Amino acid sequence: MKKTDILIIGGSAAGLVAALTAKSNYTDKDVTVIRKEEIVMIPCGIPYVYGTTGTTNKNILPDEGLKKLGVNIIVDEVTSIDKENKVCTIKNSDNLQYDKLIIATGSTPTVPKWLKGTELKNVFTIPKNKVYLDEMQSMLEGCKKIVTIGAGFIGVELSDELNKLGKEVVLVEKLPHILGLAFDAEVAVEAEALIKSRGVKLLTGIGVKEILGEDKVSGVLLENGEKIEADAVVLSIGYRPNVKLAQEAGLEINDMGFIIADQYRRTRDKDIFAIGDCSEKRDFITGKLSGIMLASTACTEARVAGMNLYKLSTVKTFLGTIGIYSTAIHETGFAAAGLTEAIAKKEGFEVVTGCFTGIDRHPGHIEDTHKQMVKLIASKDSGIILGGEIVGGKSAGELINVIGFIIQGKMTIADLLTAQIGTHPMLTASPAGYPLIKAAEVVAKKLK
Amino acid sequence: MKKTDILIIGGSAAGLVAALTAKSNYTDKDVTVIRKEEIVMIPCGIPYVYGTTGTTNKNILPDEGLKKLGVNIIVDEVTSIDKENKVCTIKNSDNLQYDKLIIATGSTPTVPKWLKGTELKNVFTIPKNKVYLDEMQSMLEGCKKIVTIGAGFIGVELSDELNKLGKEVVLVEKLPHILGLAFDAEVAVEAEALIKSRGVKLLTGIGVKEILGEDKVSGVLLENGEKIEADAVVLSIGYRPNVKLAQEAGLEINDMGFIIADQYRRTRDKDIFAIGDCSEKRDFITGKLSGIMLASTACTEARVAGMNLYKLSTVKTFLGTIGIYSTAIHETGFAAAGLTEAIAKKEGFEVVTGCFTGIDRHPGHIEDTHKQMVKLIASKDSGIILGGEIVGGKSAGELINVIGFIIQGKMTIADLLTAQIGTHPMLTASPAGYPLIKAAEVVAKKLK
């Protein structure tokens, strides 16, 4: 029987980073990645294939890094895990024995069973699968009217991309606002106004009852009885963890359907780790089980697993998911980290919030100046920052990482009031009017 | 005699922010700013007046914020402080009694006494003075050949701006590299290559012996005997703190010439605070006296003073200057925080560094993708991050603030290896190849 020291099942972001980390940390070990896909997609780049990069060939997660380090890549499918004997059965090749196993089997788009018509032609989901995405792209070419169902990040991004191509796009969201899990309403409405101004038709607060059509999709029936014509429908209502393999192997699955894993990313089997979309997440702040799936979080979990495989480190742990999101609609960046005000309150925190709107360059006469709004959510008892939201220019993408580190460091409003920042006319807001600090001042005033 | 509760001397960034903070925190107090300038310049925007914004009128620090809060503004000059009686003498108006005084008198460009020819016509410095800057702008109009002496941030930025106008610019720096206090040599050379490629002639590692000319400047004589023709010379070799007023009032001045001030920004007189360029700085990491002058640091000191005027808070203190710098040369951002490797070693730290070069978008096919290089300097014994340097696109301006908070939070390499970040194709590097984390991995490998 063939043998490898460290076997990683899954080759997307989590699997890739786990393999790189494992091989870098344990250079004398033989590391193998086994994945189904010949060519792997950059997950967050998938929506942008449609209107920006133009082809999945420009959205490939390269194998060079793995090859350079000497990681083996097998394109095949693990069909079962025998954890007693530490052996994986593989569809088209010999069994493979492992010493340590990392499960990074990812997630699959949700197709709700209650929704009629999902089997129709031209009803799509957005899996991380090049062959599927290519076919979808070619089929969408002939479609003029497209309905996107579900306005999370992928739904919003894809709608904007299809709109760029001149399609008539209707984005339908059951919740009152788009991006509703990441942003409070007052921020979400800004994204809504922007995407509408760009030509996407938006229907919020209304669910889809049925996808209509015979053989091929012809439209969508809404809960209120309204019908929308459609040449194609894209479901972007979420993803479910791929845990069948783990479950069949007898690994424990939590109430939300994820493979249970601890702060070192160990499952209940000491030689099996689980990372990424398929693995258990707990919220960094609430400690509760969480369903957040993010490539960036997956990469962190992958690093943690990769480092702890043979030797645990108390300072190299994953202490819970902080949802850190960012997206761009045209030139406007939207970003969020931690809890929204609504979620924090619902969870039982007494919160104080502060919001400040300034500009992201100084003076405002600089060419690419954008409005920059920062909202902070702080815990009233300690002043600890629970969350932040930003609308700005493209620098919002790194500014949210400032807030991310503030949350990870359990920093407080006082830390922000006394924080030192770097500023520059062409790159940031002014030091006197830096929205992050000004928002903290608003919170401080309310805390008095 | 007229009376105000809180008197702030100086109206630049530090004075402005101190006034805003004082009035916001002590709403029932009467707050007065007294300053010499009718119109105040945005300090970091000054170089950009010449080639980008085009006029000082587009670089004005507005008074609206002060006026809206009800802060009094007096345009006049304090000629003496009587700290026993808590009274300021004012040049053109009545004496003014204060309860608390904040000195924010700033700094003045250094004109070395040993340098011959500084009195010649068309020899300029860069003070924060609109009238002077306007006159300089109009006089530079007729000049073709300009020599800039001193390649700190202002010298580099101004040289690039004058080059944009079609001037023949020679930038002379005595140190081996430009921006040498903020960047290690391997980063500085990238800035050097870029500014040279844009047309600025660069002479490093050579000092100026004399400015030549009769009445009007005609050239510069270098230490090696070489002469450079010049229609104008701009001195950008540093600033000295304005402490005459404080010194004459009997306030203590430190060995580097700054007004002594503690972590609450109190001078040795309990009712007098000192902030900004005129006030004592200690390095956050070394604890040593420091000469760093930054508008952003000044704003932090101003906030700290403003909050602590009547009531000290142990969590609202200024614990030492972290130089956090950023600049842009065309589309390339350069940024640094904390100690460089060279300075850290000189100070006696045993350091481990890591450098990683990636890109600031993902995939690299995204339109405005730039190379992004991150260098981290960590303390070997603790893994605590001492400094970081970045070359990237414009997002470098906020990414350096990520590193700034990492330094302020005394975070370690392990914190970075397990950090969660937000990423997006249009806004940041990829989660698998995020240069900040990858640089930490390089350090970690060396620490083994």
Side-chain angles (χ1 to χ4, degrees):
Chain A
M1 195 178 346
K2 280 210 255 176
K3 202 183 168 320
T4 189
D5 296 318
I6 301 166
L7 178 61
I8 295 144
I9 309 176
S12 188
L16 168 72
V17 171
L20 294 173
T21 310
K23 188 67 189 171
S24 303
N25 278 269
Y26 304 102
T27 46
D28 57 331
K29 301 290 180 187
D30 184 69
V31 179
T32 303
V33 171
I34 181 163
R35 69 182 193 220
K36 289 184 201 167
E37 303 78 15
E38 182 69 50
I39 296 171
V40 182
M41 291 283 92
I42 296 178
C44 6
I46 291 173
Y48 297 99
V49 163
Y50 294 91
T52 302
T53 46
T55 162
T56 55
N57 293 324
K58 289 191 175 171
N59 190 56
I60 295 168
L61 203 60
D63 284 341
E64 277 88 50
L66 294 173
K67 287 180 179 163
K68 220 170 116 186
L69 276 185
V71 172
N72 317 305
I73 301 171
I74 302 174
V75 178
D76 208 327
E77 188 181 344
V78 174
T79 49
S80 72
I81 303 165
D82 170 357
K83 57 188 173 62
E84 275 65 48
N85 296 306
K86 299 170 80 169
V87 172
C88 285
T89 318
I90 296 169
K91 202 170 191 174
N92 302 307
S93 53
D94 292 347
N95 290 356
L96 190 54
Q97 189 151 30
Y98 64 81
D99 187 20
K100 302 284 179 184
L101 180 69
I102 301 178
I103 302 178
T105 44
S107 58
T108 303
T110 307
V111 180
K113 288 206 180 105
W114 56 261
L115 183 60
K116 267 171 81 176
T118 56
E119 77 295 345
L120 292 169
K121 213 176 125 190
N122 279 9
V123 175
F124 302 103
T125 58
I126 309 160
K128 290 156 229 164
N129 180 319
K130 187 176 190 301
V131 178
Y132 183 101
L133 295 168
D134 285 345
E135 197 185 315
M136 168 174 156
Q137 188 170 30
S138 102
M139 288 172 79
L140 284 176
E141 263 174 35
C143 301
K144 180 71 183 161
K145 295 167 192 286
I146 301 172
V147 174
T148 322
I149 301 174
F153 284 92
I154 293 173
V156 169
E157 290 168 355
L158 186 76
S159 298
D160 193 54
E161 288 288 299
L162 293 173
N163 176 63
K164 274 189 200 169
L165 295 176
K167 312 285 183 193
E168 292 173 23
V169 182
V170 182
L171 174 56
V172 185
E173 169 58 53
K174 201 178 162 69
L175 293 174
H177 293 287
I178 70 169
L179 306 172
L181 296 176
F183 295 104
D184 284 307
E186 74 266 30
V187 181
V189 294
E190 299 214 23
E192 289 166 2
L194 181 55
I195 200 163
K196 280 198 269 188
S197 77
R198 289 170 61 74
V200 173
K201 195 173 168 197
L202 199 59
L203 298 174
T204 51
I206 185 134
V208 170
K209 200 168 175 185
E210 190 180 335
I211 300 174
L212 305 170
E214 311 178 6
D215 180 39
K216 187 167 159 274
V217 66
S218 65
V220 161
L221 175 66
L222 301 179
E223 282 172 349
N224 64 359
E226 199 189 326
K227 284 180 192 175
I228 314 169
E229 274 184 57
D231 304 320
V233 167
V234 185
L235 295 172
S236 51
I237 53 177
Y239 290 77
R240 57 180 174 73
N242 296 329
V243 299
K244 190 163 167 277
L245 194 64
Q247 197 160 25
E248 288 175 355
L251 291 169
E252 284 182 74
I253 307 296
N254 76 18
D255 291 346
M256 290 182 76
F258 294 85
I259 305 165
I260 290 179
D262 66 12
Q263 68 264 44
Y264 306 98
R265 306 316 295 162
R266 293 176 303 182
T267 65
R268 296 280 160 86
D269 180 303
K270 73 175 179 48
D271 293 319
I272 305 181
F273 292 68
I275 58 172
D277 288 2
C278 66
S279 71
E280 175 166 283
K281 286 110 190 28
R282 285 186 180 273
D283 186 273
F284 181 79
I285 293 168
T286 68
K288 276 192 180 172
L289 288 181
S290 156
I292 287 179
M293 293 179 184
L294 277 168
S296 55
T297 315
C299 289
T300 305
E301 293 171 351
R303 288 190 185 97
V304 169
M307 292 188 287
N308 284 293
L309 284 170
Y310 287 92
K311 195 170 65 180
L312 299 186
S313 164
T314 51
V315 295
K316 293 174 185 167
T317 54
F318 186 83
L319 297 175
T321 302
I322 302 168
I324 310 179
Y325 303 96
S326 53
T327 191
I329 301 175
H330 192 50
E331 294 290 315
T332 303
F334 292 86
L339 304 184
T340 63
E341 179 181 358
I343 293 172
K345 282 179 174 168
K346 204 177 132 196
E347 287 291 330
F349 289 100
E350 196 173 4
V351 299
V352 180
T353 67
C355 204
F356 186 87
T357 302
I359 49 176
D360 68 350
R361 301 283 184 262
H362 67 286
H365 304 282
I366 301 287
E367 195 186 343
D368 62 346
T369 300
H370 284 78
K371 190 185 80 165
Q372 186 183 82
M373 190 282 280
V374 175
K375 176 176 179 172
L376 287 174
I377 297 105
S379 168
K380 195 178 173 184
D381 66 338
S382 61
I384 286 176
I385 309 297
L386 302 176
E389 298 167 42
I390 305 170
V391 183
K394 290 194 173 178
S395 64
E398 296 299 0
L399 186 56
I400 201 63
N401 285 323
V402 173
I403 297 179
F405 274 95
I406 287 168
I407 294 172
Q408 285 167 80
K410 300 216 161 123
M411 293 187 194
T412 66
I413 287 293
D415 292 321
L416 274 171
L417 295 176
T418 61
Q420 292 174 62
I421 42 157
T423 58
H424 186 268
M426 303 296 183
L427 305 175
T428 71
S430 86
Y434 195 70
L436 175 63
I437 308 286
K438 299 300 286 179
E441 288 184 344
V442 175
V443 174
K445 204 158 188 176
K446 291 186 190 170
L447 280 173
K448 279 200 176 182
Chain B
M1 196 178 344
K2 280 211 253 178
K3 202 182 168 321
T4 190
D5 296 320
I6 301 165
L7 178 61
I8 295 143
I9 308 176
S12 188
L16 168 73
V17 171
L20 294 172
T21 310
K23 188 67 189 172
S24 304
N25 278 267
Y26 305 102
T27 46
D28 57 331
K29 301 292 180 186
D30 184 70
V31 179
T32 304
V33 170
I34 181 163
R35 68 183 193 219
K36 289 185 202 167
E37 304 78 14
E38 182 69 50
I39 297 171
V40 182
M41 291 284 92
I42 297 179
C44 4
I46 291 172
Y48 296 100
V49 163
Y50 295 91
T52 302
T53 46
T55 161
T56 56
N57 294 323
K58 290 191 176 170
N59 191 56
I60 295 168
L61 203 60
D63 283 342
E64 278 88 50
L66 293 173
K67 286 181 181 163
K68 221 169 117 186
L69 277 185
V71 172
N72 318 305
I73 301 171
I74 301 174
V75 178
D76 208 327
E77 188 181 343
V78 174
T79 49
S80 71
I81 302 165
D82 171 357
K83 59 188 173 57
E84 275 66 49
N85 297 305
K86 299 168 82 168
V87 172
C88 284
T89 317
I90 296 168
K91 203 170 188 173
N92 302 307
S93 53
D94 292 346
N95 290 355
L96 190 55
Q97 190 152 29
Y98 64 82
D99 188 22
K100 302 286 178 184
L101 180 69
I102 301 178
I103 302 177
T105 43
S107 58
T108 304
T110 307
V111 180
K113 287 208 180 105
W114 55 262
L115 183 61
K116 265 171 82 175
T118 56
E119 76 296 345
L120 293 169
K121 213 176 128 192
N122 279 9
V123 175
F124 302 104
T125 59
I126 308 160
K128 291 157 229 165
N129 179 319
K130 186 176 191 299
V131 178
Y132 182 99
L133 295 168
D134 285 346
E135 197 185 315
M136 168 174 156
Q137 187 170 31
S138 102
M139 288 172 78
L140 286 176
E141 263 174 35
C143 299
K144 181 71 185 161
K145 298 168 190 285
I146 301 173
V147 174
T148 323
I149 302 175
F153 284 91
I154 293 174
V156 169
E157 290 167 355
L158 187 75
S159 298
D160 192 55
E161 288 287 299
L162 294 173
N163 176 64
K164 274 190 201 168
L165 295 177
K167 312 285 183 192
E168 292 173 21
V169 183
V170 182
L171 173 57
V172 185
E173 169 59 52
K174 200 178 163 68
L175 294 174
H177 293 288
I178 70 170
L179 305 172
L181 295 176
F183 296 103
D184 284 308
E186 74 267 31
V187 181
V189 294
E190 298 214 22
E192 288 167 1
L194 181 55
I195 200 163
K196 279 197 271 187
S197 76
R198 289 170 60 73
V200 173
K201 194 173 169 196
L202 199 59
L203 299 174
T204 50
I206 185 136
V208 170
K209 199 167 175 187
E210 189 180 335
I211 300 174
L212 305 170
E214 310 178 10
D215 180 40
K216 187 166 158 274
V217 67
S218 65
V220 161
L221 175 66
L222 301 178
E223 283 172 349
N224 63 0
E226 199 190 326
K227 285 181 194 175
I228 314 169
E229 273 184 60
D231 304 320
V233 167
V234 185
L235 295 173
S236 51
I237 52 176
Y239 291 76
R240 56 181 174 73
N242 296 329
V243 299
K244 190 164 168 274
L245 194 63
Q247 196 160 26
E248 287 174 356
L251 291 169
E252 284 182 76
I253 308 298
N254 76 17
D255 290 346
M256 290 182 77
F258 294 85
I259 305 165
I260 289 179
D262 65 13
Q263 68 264 44
Y264 307 98
R265 306 315 294 161
R266 292 176 303 182
T267 65
R268 296 279 161 88
D269 178 303
K270 75 175 177 48
D271 293 318
I272 305 181
F273 293 68
I275 58 173
D277 288 1
C278 67
S279 72
E280 175 166 284
K281 286 111 188 30
R282 284 187 180 273
D283 186 273
F284 180 79
I285 293 168
T286 68
K288 275 191 182 173
L289 289 180
S290 156
I292 287 179
M293 293 179 185
L294 277 168
S296 55
T297 314
C299 289
T300 305
E301 293 172 351
R303 288 189 185 97
V304 169
M307 293 187 286
N308 284 292
L309 284 171
Y310 287 92
K311 196 169 64 179
L312 298 187
S313 164
T314 51
V315 295
K316 293 173 185 166
T317 54
F318 186 84
L319 298 176
T321 302
I322 302 168
I324 310 179
Y325 304 95
S326 54
T327 191
I329 301 174
H330 192 49
E331 293 291 314
T332 303
F334 292 86
L339 304 184
T340 62
E341 178 181 359
I343 293 172
K345 283 179 173 168
K346 205 177 131 197
E347 288 292 329
F349 289 99
E350 198 173 0
V351 300
V352 180
T353 66
C355 205
F356 186 87
T357 301
I359 50 176
D360 68 350
R361 302 283 184 261
H362 67 287
H365 303 283
I366 301 288
E367 196 186 342
D368 63 346
T369 301
H370 285 79
K371 189 185 81 165
Q372 186 182 82
M373 190 281 280
V374 175
K375 176 176 179 173
L376 287 175
I377 298 105
S379 168
K380 195 177 174 184
D381 64 340
S382 60
I384 286 176
I385 308 296
L386 302 176
E389 299 168 42
I390 305 169
V391 183
K394 290 194 173 178
S395 64
E398 296 299 0
L399 186 55
I400 200 63
N401 285 322
V402 172
I403 298 180
F405 275 94
I406 287 168
I407 295 172
Q408 285 166 79
K410 300 214 161 122
M411 293 187 193
T412 66
I413 287 293
D415 292 321
L416 274 171
L417 295 176
T418 61
Q420 292 174 63
I421 43 156
T423 57
H424 185 269
M426 304 296 183
L427 305 175
T428 71
S430 85
Y434 195 70
L436 175 62
I437 308 285
K438 299 299 286 178
E441 289 184 344
V442 175
V443 174
K445 204 157 187 177
K446 291 187 190 169
L447 280 173
K448 281 201 174 179

